[in-house]
Amino acid sequence: MKFYFPNYKKNIINISGSFNKMLGNGAPVSTLSKLDKCLNKGYKNVVFIILDGMGINPIKIHLDNKNILRKNVKQTL
């Protein structure tokens, strides 16, 4: 059995760091560079959907490449 250890530079906690950085509150934890780039476009409103614990496989298996959800996946953690 192979054990996987958490990547503390690329996990769900780092999402809050990126949003804190966007809001000008500083980032108490590391941020995600891909999310930082998306949030650094001066948007007034942001809709953020996170599907925690599901993994990417159900999306890849059940949604075709033209599906809006699948087309807009930016990163898996």
Side-chain angles (χ1 to χ4, degrees):
M1 177 187 283
K2 184 175 181 179
F3 290 99
Y4 293 93
F5 294 97
N7 179 345
Y8 293 107
K9 300 289 183 186
K10 186 179 169 186
N11 68 58
I12 194 168
I13 298 298
N14 304 113
I15 294 169
S16 63
S18 290
F19 277 107
N20 273 321
K21 181 179 176 181
M22 178 193 83
L23 296 170
N25 297 330
V29 296
S30 300
T31 64
L32 297 170
S33 60
K34 283 188 179 185
L35 182 55
D36 291 342
K37 288 177 188 175
C38 290
L39 296 174
N40 194 25
K41 296 181 180 177
Y43 296 118
K44 182 178 176 183
N45 298 303
V46 175
V47 175
F48 185 78
I49 299 171
I50 185 166
L51 304 171
D52 184 25
M54 185 176 77
I56 194 68
N57 288 333
I59 291 173
K60 287 183 175 181
I61 292 168
H62 299 289
L63 301 179
D64 63 44
N65 291 332
K66 295 179 183 178
N67 182 279
I68 191 167
L69 181 61
R70 185 162 179 187
K71 285 192 318 186
N72 289 288
V73 170
K74 302 296 182 196
Q75 183 174 12
T76 59
L77 304 175

